[in-house]
């Protein structure tokens, strides 16, 4: 059985709902250790002073915040502890909003919320009320000494909690100079219509299990082959020449590819590869017709 990472209560007005949090995701990343190429020994990191070059023991290390180049303000652990948010063991609901009002860029980590002992009835009440209202609760709580902003929402008959970034942690796209060119460009109706046809032809219900991390699987396969003693020969790959796309030709070729396919929808990655090659194919076809 999974282990709860937090237990407490949802504070909803004068109502407390005892709950537990469980991680909703398990990111799968292939992790490597750094080894010495000469003998295969694992490398260890040492903390070395930049001034005298001496290795510094852990008990002599303090925290410093750089306020200007090579100028630091030293902060003690006691000073930080005095500022730590009070761990109240409650998820405090501050307001309710529509789910559509929250841009996904604000979401961070996701957790399943389960009722704790004695909290099932209150949990069901809050869940049913939120489902009926179509609302998401914006809350605050303390997780691992850090105050978190979070969204509490119904999801398939249970409640889920997603920690969120604060407003000043999200970068505005207005800072991107490249977006200024968009004001000078307009897509004509025919281009929009063809792009919409391509979108419609590739539309499907979202099935998360259809999408796999192909790169991670290939890395694990490589590790397994090398661990079994197989000698691997890496073939050099040449970079494909960059071509300026003919937008209409790419749209036409993409639509033709999708329409000519069988009932099994191609994987999105393969479709994108064909779309990238479409301008070259269309250009060769036009040249042959001349």
């Amino acid at each position: 059985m999974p282990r709860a990472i937090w237990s407490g209560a949802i504070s909803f007005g004068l109502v407390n709902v005892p709950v537990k949090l469980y991680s909703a995701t398990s990111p799968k990343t292939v992790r490597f250790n750094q080894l010495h190429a000469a003998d295969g020994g694992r490398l260890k990191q040492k903390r070395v002073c930049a001034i005298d070059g001496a290795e510094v023991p852990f008990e002599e290390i303090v925290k410093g915040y750089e306020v200007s180049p090579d100028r630091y303000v030293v902060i003690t652990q006691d000073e930080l502890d005095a500022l730590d948010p009070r761990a109240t063991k409650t998820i405090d609901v501050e307001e309710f909003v529509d789910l559509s009002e929250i841009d996904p860029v604000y979401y961070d980590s996701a957790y399943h919320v389960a009722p704790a002992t004695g909290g099932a009835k209150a949990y069901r009440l809050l869940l049913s009320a939120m489902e009926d209202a179509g609302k998401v609760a914006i809350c605050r709580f303390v997780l691992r000494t850090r105050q978190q902003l979070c969204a509490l929402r119904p999801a398939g008959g249970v409640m889920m909690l997603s920690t969120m970034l604060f407003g000043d942690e999200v970068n505005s796209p207005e800072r991107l100079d490249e977006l200024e060119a968009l004001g000078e460009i307009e897509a004509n109706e025919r281009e929009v219509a063809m792009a919409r046809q391509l979108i419609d032809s590739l539309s499907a219900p979202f099935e998360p299990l259809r999408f796999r991390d192909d790169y991670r699987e290939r890395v694990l396969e490589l590790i397994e082959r090398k661990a079994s003693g197989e000698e691997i020969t890496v073939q050099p790959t040449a970079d494909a020449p960059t071509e300026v796309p003919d937008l209409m030709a790419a749209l036409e070729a993409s639509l033709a590819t999708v329409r000519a396919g069988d009932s099994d929808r191609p994987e999105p990655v393969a479709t994108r590869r064909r779309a990238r090659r479409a301008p070259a194919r269309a250009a060769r076809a036009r040249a042959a017709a001349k």
Side-chain angles (χ1 to χ4, degrees):
M1 181 177 177
R3 181 179 178 183
I5 65 160
W6 186 92
S7 61
I10 299 172
S11 178
F12 171 49
L14 298 179
V15 177
N16 276 1
V17 183
V19 295
K20 295 181 178 181
L21 296 188
Y22 295 87
S23 294
T25 59
S26 299
K28 295 177 172 58
T29 302
V30 181
R31 300 184 182 278
F32 295 96
N33 293 311
Q34 292 184 330
L35 308 177
H36 186 192
D39 54 22
R42 185 171 176 177
L43 302 183
K44 296 182 178 181
Q45 293 183 335
K46 294 183 178 181
R47 296 176 174 86
V48 178
C49 177
I51 296 177
D52 58 18
E55 185 176 353
V56 181
F58 181 79
E59 60 272 14
E60 295 182 14
I61 297 176
V62 297
K63 298 180 184 293
Y65 185 88
E66 189 173 22
V67 293
S68 61
D70 296 327
R71 181 170 174 263
Y72 301 87
V73 172
V74 175
I75 302 295
T76 68
Q77 189 59 49
D78 289 341
E79 291 170 333
L80 289 176
D81 291 342
L83 300 178
D84 265 353
R86 187 164 55 96
T88 60
K89 286 294 182 181
T90 58
I91 300 171
D92 297 308
V93 177
E94 297 203 350
E95 60 186 21
F96 290 91
V97 303
D98 293 332
L99 179 61
S100 59
E101 294 181 11
I102 306 175
D103 191 312
V105 73
Y106 287 95
Y107 291 130
D108 193 6
S109 300
Y111 301 90
H112 293 302
V113 183
T117 303
K121 184 174 182 178
Y123 180 99
R124 170 57 66 184
L125 172 63
L126 178 58
L127 174 62
S128 299
M130 291 176 65
E131 288 175 333
D132 187 63
K135 295 290 185 179
V136 176
I138 302 300
C139 318
R140 289 178 188 261
F141 80 117
V142 177
L143 178 64
R144 302 188 184 97
T145 74
R146 181 186 175 191
Q147 187 183 73
Q148 298 276 1
L149 184 68
C150 62
L152 184 68
R153 61 185 176 86
V158 299
M159 281 196 285
M160 290 198 68
L161 181 145
S162 296
T163 56
M164 301 174 66
L165 300 173
F166 288 97
D168 60 356
E169 294 179 304
V170 175
N171 297 327
S172 171
E174 295 178 358
R175 301 167 56 188
L176 306 179
D177 296 336
E178 292 84 352
L179 295 180
E180 294 179 1
L182 292 180
E184 306 170 1
I185 298 175
E186 290 187 7
N188 62 50
E189 293 183 5
R190 183 164 178 259
E191 291 171 338
V192 173
M194 293 196 67
R196 178 58 190 270
Q197 290 179 48
L198 182 58
I199 290 172
D200 291 341
S201 66
L202 292 172
S203 295
F206 179 52
E207 300 174 9
L209 294 180
R210 284 184 57 244
F211 301 92
R212 304 182 65 85
D213 188 342
D214 297 333
Y215 173 75
R216 176 170 57 86
E217 291 178 353
R218 291 196 298 269
V219 171
L220 291 174
E221 180 186 4
L222 171 65
I223 292 172
E224 185 176 350
R225 290 167 58 192
K226 296 198 71 172
S228 66
E230 182 178 342
E231 185 174 345
I232 305 297
T233 301
V234 178
Q235 300 295 332
T237 57
D239 294 334
T242 303
E243 300 181 49
V244 178
D246 181 331
L247 186 57
M248 286 302 297
L251 288 171
E252 291 171 354
S254 298
L255 279 171
T257 300
V258 173
R259 290 169 177 167
D262 56 21
S263 57
D264 295 330
R265 186 181 303 281
E267 289 294 326
V269 171
T271 303
R272 289 197 295 270
R273 288 172 179 165
R274 284 193 289 271
R276 286 198 296 268
R277 293 196 293 263
R281 290 200 300 268
R284 288 196 294 270
R286 287 196 299 270
K290 291 182 179 180

